[in-house]
């Protein structure tokens, strides 16, 4: 491990353990709250998908003849499985779907991306690690993105000549699409003198450009989960923001099983993070409370000790014989004897000052002082 890696690791460890682990406990508590929030959303989505009815495309029209309840909240939640076809093909339009520029395949959705890849270096325990990636910078930087789409529908059993189909509306949808990668090429970047300087100081020089193209081809069988309603007499399905799925390769049973696994993982993860955060915060509270009590006791002792000479100042500064004056201030009566030498040469205030010196020594015999004792007249 390099020296700067050890320094960064030590700094992060000190920051995490600041306040006897209070910062680490609060961080884990925030993660626990986020985990429980995700668990709540995931369990709610799981319940909704389980209760959603799975329809054949040819049976969707019967959904609207049952009641008008499907018009509430944008439509009734349904699960539909069918094959992708361009809407122009189903409508009898001669317009063909999109064609991939790199692979030449037909598609209704084409996503082209160009990504710059940065080098990876061996970090702690030999893992591929980068502190800047931990702080927010990824080892990949997306340069350009191109998204093209034509309206498409889902048909039943590939029979796109029939009139039964459901329109897929992607408007305002932020869900990922079940795309297939058809083109993948990595172009290396030639090293330059500037790259050499980056390798010395930054460990973040680019090593290649990755070109990818993903498509949603006609004929692919997918599942749509969303709100269904009628648009101009044709069923249309829209995404639901509170559901983690919209279009997927999985069937309804597979979606339920996958979401149930995520919900279970979030549940036990929330319990683990909550337990750790409560334990660390309790330990930190007890430690800091004990330190505060010790500091408070020490502060009170110091205040009492410093106020004692002032309480008797009038008594000590009266008519004092010459032989009884403090040899340091020559104003107050000798009241404190030093141990272990036993010399009675200072007043209580000056004795306290001598005792708190860096190297406390008796002003008379120069012997090291361990403590002082107050002497009272009978």
């Amino acid at each position: 491990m390099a020296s700067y890696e050890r320094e960064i690791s030590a700094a992060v460890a000190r920051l995490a353990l600041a306040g006897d682990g209070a910062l680490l406990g609060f961080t884990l508590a925030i993660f626990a709250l986020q985990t429980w929030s995700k668990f709540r959303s995931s369990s709610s989505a799981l319940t909704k998908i389980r209760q959603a009815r799975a329809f054949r495309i040819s049976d969707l029209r019967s959904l609207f003849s049952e009641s008008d309840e499907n018009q509430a909240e944008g439509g009734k939640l349904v699960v539909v499985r069918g094959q992708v076809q361009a809407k122009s093909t189903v409508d009898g339009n001669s317009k063909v779907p999109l064609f991939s520029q790199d692979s030449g395949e037909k598609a209704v959705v084409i996503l082209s991306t160009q990504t710059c890849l940065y080098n990876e270096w061996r970090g702690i325990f030999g893992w591929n690690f980068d502190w800047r990636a931990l702080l927010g910078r990824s080892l990949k930087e997306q340069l350009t993105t191109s998204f093209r789409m034509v309206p498409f529908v889902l048909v039943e059993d590939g029979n796109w000549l029939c009139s039964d189909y459901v329109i897929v509306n992607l408007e305002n949808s932020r869900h990922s699409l079940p795309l297939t990668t058809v083109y993948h090429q990595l172009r290396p970047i030639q090293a330059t003198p500037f790259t050499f300087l980056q390798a010395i100081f930054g460990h973040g020089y680019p090593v290649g450009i990755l070109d990818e193209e993903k498509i949603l081809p006609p004929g692919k069988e997918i599942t749509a989960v969303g709100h269904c309603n009628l648009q101009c007499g044709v069923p249309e399905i829209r995404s639901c923001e509170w559901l983690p799925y919209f279009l997927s390769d999985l069937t309804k049973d597979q979606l339920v099983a996958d979401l149930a696994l995520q919900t279970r993982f979030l549940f036990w993860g929330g319990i683990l993070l909550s337990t750790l955060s409560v334990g660390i915060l309790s330990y930190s509270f007890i430690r800091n409370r004990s330190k505060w009590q010790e500091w408070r006791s020490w502060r009170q002792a110091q205040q009492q000790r410093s106020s004692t000479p002032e309480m008797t100042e009038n008594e000590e500064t009266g008519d004092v014989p010459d032989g009884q004056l403090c040899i340091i201030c020559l104003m107050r009566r000798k009241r404190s004897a030093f141990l272990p030498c036993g010399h009675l040469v200072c007043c209580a205030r000056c004795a306290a000052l001598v005792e708190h010196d860096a190297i406390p020594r008796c002003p008379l015999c120069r012997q090291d002082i361990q403590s002082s004792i107050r002497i009272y007249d009978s």
Side-chain angles (χ1 to χ4, degrees):
M1 188 188 301
S3 60
Y4 66 89
E5 292 182 12
R6 289 194 296 268
E7 293 175 0
I8 294 176
S9 302
V12 172
R14 288 195 297 269
L15 182 62
L17 297 177
D20 291 320
L23 182 60
L24 179 61
F26 279 116
T27 303
L28 290 177
I30 292 174
F31 283 131
L33 291 176
Q34 292 178 346
T35 303
W36 285 117
S37 177
K38 292 179 180 179
F39 166 76
R40 181 180 178 183
S41 301
S42 180
S43 59
S44 175
L46 177 61
T47 302
K48 293 293 185 181
I49 293 179
R50 277 177 174 169
Q51 294 175 352
R53 296 174 58 183
F55 281 88
R56 293 171 56 91
I57 295 177
S58 57
D59 297 333
L60 278 177
R61 295 183 181 276
S62 62
L63 174 67
F64 301 96
S65 60
E66 291 178 357
S67 65
D68 294 331
E69 296 178 358
N70 51 5
Q71 301 299 329
E73 298 183 359
K76 191 174 184 65
L77 185 64
V78 297
V79 179
V80 179
R81 189 166 181 84
Q83 292 185 4
V84 175
Q85 289 294 339
K87 189 173 183 297
S88 59
T89 305
V90 177
D91 292 341
N93 196 323
S94 60
K95 183 179 179 180
V96 295
L98 301 173
F99 284 91
S100 170
Q101 296 178 355
D102 297 313
S103 62
E105 298 186 20
K106 291 183 179 181
V108 295
V109 176
I110 299 179
L111 176 64
S112 301
T113 59
Q114 190 178 71
T115 307
C116 183
L117 303 181
Y118 288 83
N119 74 308
E120 298 179 359
W121 50 278
R122 294 287 175 179
I124 302 175
F125 307 118
W127 297 337
N128 288 333
F129 195 74
D130 193 336
W131 282 106
R132 287 173 303 171
L134 179 64
L135 298 176
R137 177 176 177 179
S138 174
L139 295 176
K140 295 182 179 181
E141 182 179 350
Q142 189 168 297
L143 299 180
T144 59
T145 302
S146 174
F147 184 82
R148 293 181 294 157
M149 184 190 72
V150 295
F152 65 95
V153 298
L154 295 182
V155 298
E156 188 175 323
D157 300 328
N159 186 11
W160 56 272
L161 295 177
C162 68
S163 59
D164 291 327
Y165 60 87
V166 57
I167 300 174
V168 179
N169 191 334
L170 293 179
E171 184 179 357
N172 299 326
S173 174
R174 298 182 180 179
H175 297 81
S176 59
L177 299 176
L179 304 179
T180 303
T181 301
V182 294
Y183 182 77
H184 184 96
Q185 183 181 14
L186 178 63
R187 294 178 290 142
I189 297 178
Q190 297 296 328
T192 63
F194 181 67
T195 303
F196 177 73
L197 293 177
Q198 286 179 314
I200 294 177
F201 298 105
H203 289 280
Y205 58 89
V207 295
I209 299 293
L210 179 64
D211 293 318
E212 283 185 310
E213 190 172 66
K214 298 180 180 181
I215 66 170
L216 181 61
K220 183 175 183 178
E221 191 171 7
I222 62 175
T223 301
V225 183
H227 286 146
C228 187
N229 50 25
L230 286 178
Q231 291 293 334
C232 300
V234 180
E236 180 185 75
I237 190 166
R238 291 174 176 266
S239 64
C240 303
E241 295 182 359
W242 43 269
L243 285 181
Y245 306 104
F246 177 37
L247 303 179
S248 174
D249 296 322
L250 306 177
T251 62
K252 178 184 176 181
D253 293 338
Q254 291 172 335
L255 289 176
V256 170
D258 183 65
L259 196 55
L261 180 62
Q262 294 181 23
T263 304
R264 197 177 307 116
F265 175 79
L266 290 172
F267 174 76
W268 290 111
I271 290 180
L272 177 61
L273 290 174
S274 301
T275 304
L276 288 175
S277 63
V278 170
I280 294 175
L281 287 175
S282 300
Y283 169 79
S284 175
F285 174 77
I286 294 173
R287 289 278 298 174
N288 284 282
R289 185 170 180 269
S290 176
K291 288 182 179 180
W292 180 78
Q293 289 178 344
E294 291 178 1
W295 176 85
R296 185 180 179 184
S297 301
W298 175 84
R299 184 66 177 172
Q300 290 177 350
Q302 289 294 107
Q303 291 177 351
Q304 292 176 358
R305 190 168 189 175
S306 61
S307 64
T308 301
E310 296 183 5
M311 292 174 60
T312 59
E313 185 174 358
N314 295 331
E315 178 186 351
E316 302 295 331
T317 57
D319 263 341
V320 181
D322 292 341
Q324 298 295 322
L325 286 175
C326 171
I327 66 173
I328 295 180
C329 66
L330 299 176
M331 294 175 57
R332 288 175 289 272
R333 188 186 297 270
K334 300 176 183 179
R335 286 298 187 185
S336 294
F338 295 115
L339 298 177
C341 66
H343 287 126
L344 178 64
V345 292
C346 294
C347 63
R349 179 178 295 182
C350 294
L353 294 176
V354 171
E355 190 177 354
H356 286 84
D357 284 344
I359 304 177
R361 290 177 179 175
C362 175
L364 187 63
C365 65
R366 308 305 297 168
Q367 185 177 347
D368 290 341
I369 295 173
Q370 295 180 0
S371 62
S372 64
I373 185 172
R374 176 74 178 244
I375 305 298
Y376 294 93
D377 295 334
S378 57

